[in-house]
């Protein structure tokens, strides 16, 4: 007998899990420093436009594919459009997920070390130069990096071994509300610091002269990364949605919450950076070097540091859980493996990629692909190639090849709700805007302009 596939228990749980996937290092680590580098408010404006024109329509199209079939991308395409070659893009999703999760969990490993050091009191009390050395010594010590990364993956797979409802959904139901509370507390604290308004001005005042094409392209890539698009993650999660979830409303809610977290993260970081006279353009090091310097100047610094890294840990693990669920669901659906077997195979593959990435700054620093070490290479191809390519394929598939009735049925739950202007809007974005925008990004990467 065919085993029945269990889905999320509640609609709210499904939303929490999907927000958990979307909210991650992308929001708290990547968005603020990118906004800082690319003209503040100007970047944020382009980002918001990308979310509305590309993010929400592609998110809805992934939801349509997953929820209408309750299958992974391959099975879904076979059911919706038998014989269509689009099913092969399922492999891009699976491979993309393995690669992205591989390097992402290395950063999560760093987060655990920082959390550990904050808790035992050894993180604070150093000069900015010492912080930079500390970070350098962490990434340059193979044993430490590998150990923390594997520990993180172990925790990740422990949650996943409990299944969709008891693992994925439960952890999201607990961690997401806590994450919002922590973020708000951090925001209030930052805004109360002397000179905080300079940080707000830096973040929100649009400086179009600092944007340029690079800023526009970064904002588009960031929207894909942040909303977890293009690697069939949302197809996978929505295959566990119940038939009463409302795809239009849920996609808008999830995208809005994700954007809110990114903005709040900026409001946490920049006022503090300005208040303590640090460099707002520190780039990717912002969290690991700049923030400890700030925490130690604040009353109760240790507690702030612990809370911050706890927040980052919550945000990251709910994202890696969703990335890992892509191969797991694929193996269960397509090869009829048990969840345990699928989980073990995924864990082993991910651990291999993760260990290679963790060694990129030490033992394997000489191994380069297209001039980048393994970690940087994955950080580049994951979001910039896999996610965008997957997004392009999904947009074209749903926009041009999927029957309108299926789209309508999914958006309106079989005619129960009205889709009014949403359906034509989505289809227009999927057919024209998304392909053109993504192709422009690819041209930009290849240096055509
Ligand atoms: N959206 C996550 C973040 O912002 C990353 C992610 C990408 C998660 C793709 C799942 C799938 O950090």
């Amino acid at each position: 007998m065919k085993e029945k596939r269990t889905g999320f228990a509640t609609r709210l749980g499904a939303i929490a899990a999907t927000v958990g996937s979307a909210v991650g290092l992308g929001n708290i680590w990547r968005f603020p420093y990118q906004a800082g580098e690319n003209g503040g408010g100007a970047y944020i404006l382009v980002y918001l436009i990308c979310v509305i024109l590309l993010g929400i329509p592609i998110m809805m199209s992934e939801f349509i594919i997953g929820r209408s079939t309750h299958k992974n991308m391959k099975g879904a395409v076979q059911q919706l459009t038998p014989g269509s070659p689009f099913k092969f893009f399922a492999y891009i999703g699976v491979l993309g997920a393995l690669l992205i999760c591989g390097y992402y969990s290395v950063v999560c490993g760093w987060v655990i070390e920082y959390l550990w050091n904050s808790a035992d009191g050894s993180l604070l009390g150093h000069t900015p130069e010492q912080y930079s050395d500390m970070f350098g010594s962490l990434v340059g010590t193979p044993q430490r990096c590998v150990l923390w990364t594997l520990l993180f993956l172990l925790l990740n797979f422990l949650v996943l071994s409990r299944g969709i409802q008891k693992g994925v959904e439960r952890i999201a139901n607990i961690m997401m509300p806590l994450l919002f509370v922590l973020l708000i507390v951090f925001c209030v604290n930052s805004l109360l610091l002397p000179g905080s308004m300079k940080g707000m001005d830096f973040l929100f005042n649009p400086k179009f002269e600092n944007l340029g094409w690079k800023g526009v392209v970064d904002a588009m890539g960031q929207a894909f990364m942040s909303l977890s698009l293009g690697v069939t993650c949302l197809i996978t999660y929505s295959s566990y949605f119940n038939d009463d979830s409302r795809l239009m409303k849920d996609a808008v809610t999830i995208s809005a919450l994700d954007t809110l977290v990114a903005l709040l993260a900026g409001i946490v970081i920049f006022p503090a950076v300005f208040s303590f006279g640090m460099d707002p353009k520190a780039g990717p090091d912002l969290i690991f070097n700049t923030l400890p310097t700030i925490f130690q100047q604040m009353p109760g610094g240790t507690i702030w540091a612990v809370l911050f890294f706890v927040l980052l840990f919550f945000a990251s693990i709910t994202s890696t859980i969703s990335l890992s669920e892509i191969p797991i669901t694929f193996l269960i659906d397509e090869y009829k493996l048990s969840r345990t077997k699928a989980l073990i195979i995924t864990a082993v593959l991910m651990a291999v990629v993760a260990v290679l990435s963790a060694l990129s700054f030490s033992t394997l620093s000489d191994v380069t692909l297209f001039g980048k070490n393994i970690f940087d290479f994955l950080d580049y191809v994951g979001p910039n190639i896999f996610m965008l390519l997957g997004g392009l394929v999904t947009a074209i598939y749903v926009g041009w090849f999927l029957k309108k009735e299926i789209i309508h049925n999914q958006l309106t739950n079989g005619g129960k709700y009205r889709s009014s202007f949403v359906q034509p809007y989505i289809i227009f974005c999927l057919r024209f805007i998304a392909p053109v925008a993504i192709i422009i990004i690819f041209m930009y990467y290849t240096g055509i302009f």
Side-chain angles (χ1 to χ4, degrees):
M1 208 184 76
K2 207 167 158 253
E3 209 181 305
K4 189 163 165 3
R5 211 166 181 271
T6 26
F8 289 112
T10 63
R11 178 167 165 222
L12 207 63
I15 296 180
T18 316
V19 173
S21 164
V23 169
L25 293 171
N27 306 58
I28 301 174
W29 166 66
R30 212 160 176 258
F31 179 86
Y33 83 74
Q34 286 213 343
E37 284 175 352
N38 292 312
Y43 172 89
I44 293 178
L45 194 69
V46 179
Y47 180 80
L48 292 178
I49 295 174
C50 290
V51 169
I52 293 170
L53 290 181
L54 306 170
I56 295 179
I58 295 183
M59 181 177 284
M60 280 191 205
S61 63
E62 293 207 19
F63 283 174
I64 290 171
I65 300 176
R67 213 265 308 250
S68 63
T69 56
H70 297 294
K71 290 190 174 130
N72 76 92
M73 166 100 170
K74 185 158 180 240
V77 172
Q78 274 166 331
Q79 178 177 329
L80 293 169
T81 46
S84 157
F86 276 94
K87 65 173 184 243
F88 293 113
F89 284 97
Y91 296 100
I92 296 207
V94 172
L95 186 63
L98 288 173
L99 298 181
I100 294 174
C101 199
Y103 87 87
Y104 200 98
S105 38
V106 175
V107 184
C108 303
W110 301 340
V111 171
I112 303 190
E113 166 151 325
Y114 273 71
L115 176 57
W116 181 275
N117 290 347
S118 321
D120 79 2
S122 61
L123 182 70
L124 303 188
H126 303 278
T127 61
E129 294 72 38
Q130 283 170 327
Y131 280 120
S132 170
D133 291 346
M134 270 163 75
F135 184 59
S137 126
L138 165 64
V139 301
T141 315
Q143 302 86 325
R144 268 157 80 191
C145 273
V146 170
L147 203 77
W148 291 123
T149 306
L150 291 180
L151 176 69
F152 178 82
L153 279 179
L154 184 72
L155 296 173
N156 177 62
F157 283 102
L158 272 178
V159 176
L160 281 155
S161 70
R162 317 248 324 138
I164 293 288
Q165 287 185 5
K166 292 208 189 107
V168 179
E169 184 170 354
R170 184 174 293 170
I171 202 105
N173 276 337
I174 301 171
M175 286 188 174
M176 284 300 110
L178 275 174
L179 182 131
F180 271 93
V181 172
L182 282 177
L183 257 184
I184 306 273
V185 172
F186 267 102
C187 272
V188 173
N189 176 63
S190 272
L191 289 173
L192 292 178
L193 292 170
S196 62
M197 283 308 131
K198 272 201 236 131
M200 293 297 274
D201 183 64
F202 177 79
L203 180 63
F204 288 110
N205 196 356
K207 290 167 286 290
F208 286 97
E209 64 283 8
N210 292 345
L211 183 68
W213 267 110
K214 179 187 168 289
V216 175
V217 168
D218 277 355
M220 275 198 229
Q222 173 63 14
F224 273 76
M225 171 79 178
S226 192
L227 295 174
S228 309
L229 303 177
V231 279
T232 72
C233 178
L234 302 179
I235 298 183
T236 306
Y237 264 18
S238 59
S239 74
Y240 294 107
F241 282 7
N242 293 325
D243 290 328
D244 65 354
S245 44
R246 299 184 55 178
L247 301 189
M248 289 184 287
K249 248 186 157 182
D250 293 355
V252 173
T253 310
I254 292 160
S255 307
L257 287 175
D258 182 68
T259 307
L260 181 69
V261 172
L263 294 175
L264 289 178
I267 299 176
V268 171
I269 292 172
F270 287 109
V273 165
F274 276 86
S275 183
F276 292 105
M278 305 294 295
D279 175 15
K281 294 194 180 162
D285 292 1
L286 202 60
I287 281 185
F288 296 104
N289 291 344
T290 314
L291 284 184
T293 315
I294 292 174
F295 291 141
Q296 70 183 0
Q297 299 176 54
M298 286 164 42
T302 300
I303 298 175
W304 288 113
V306 172
L307 287 180
F308 182 80
F309 288 108
V310 165
L311 176 124
L312 210 55
F313 175 77
F314 285 175
S316 344
I317 195 161
T318 45
S319 295
T320 53
I321 285 174
S322 72
L323 280 161
S324 319
E325 193 56 54
I326 301 168
I328 295 177
T329 297
F330 177 79
L331 291 171
I332 296 176
D333 280 3
E334 295 306 313
Y335 297 95
K336 309 285 172 263
L337 297 188
S338 65
R339 187 166 177 90
T340 314
K341 273 198 193 134
L343 203 126
I344 293 173
I345 296 177
T346 307
V348 170
L349 292 174
M350 259 174 199
V352 171
V353 182
V355 168
L356 293 176
S357 324
L359 296 175
S360 303
F361 304 97
S362 50
T363 322
L364 299 180
S365 59
D366 291 339
V367 180
T368 54
L369 298 152
F370 297 97
K372 294 180 191 297
N373 67 31
I374 301 172
F375 178 97
D376 290 338
F377 176 74
L378 294 180
D379 185 31
Y380 186 81
V381 295
N384 298 349
I385 311 275
F386 280 88
M387 302 188 88
L388 288 180
L389 189 62
L392 177 67
V393 170
T394 318
I396 294 179
Y397 178 64
V398 175
W400 292 96
F401 292 91
L402 203 59
K403 286 206 196 87
K404 288 261 177 49
E405 299 96 87
I406 297 179
I407 300 178
H408 183 75
N409 249 331
Q410 287 303 314
L411 292 181
T412 61
N413 288 9
K416 209 158 140 205
Y417 305 106
R418 290 199 314 149
S419 70
S420 47
F421 72 94
V422 178
Q423 185 166 345
Y425 167 76
I426 296 298
I427 293 189
F428 179 76
C429 293
L430 294 175
R431 284 195 165 181
F432 304 105
I433 300 191
V436 170
I438 297 172
I439 288 169
I440 290 181
I441 303 192
F442 279 132
M443 283 163 53
Y444 177 83
Y445 287 152
T446 47
I448 292 180
F449 70 98

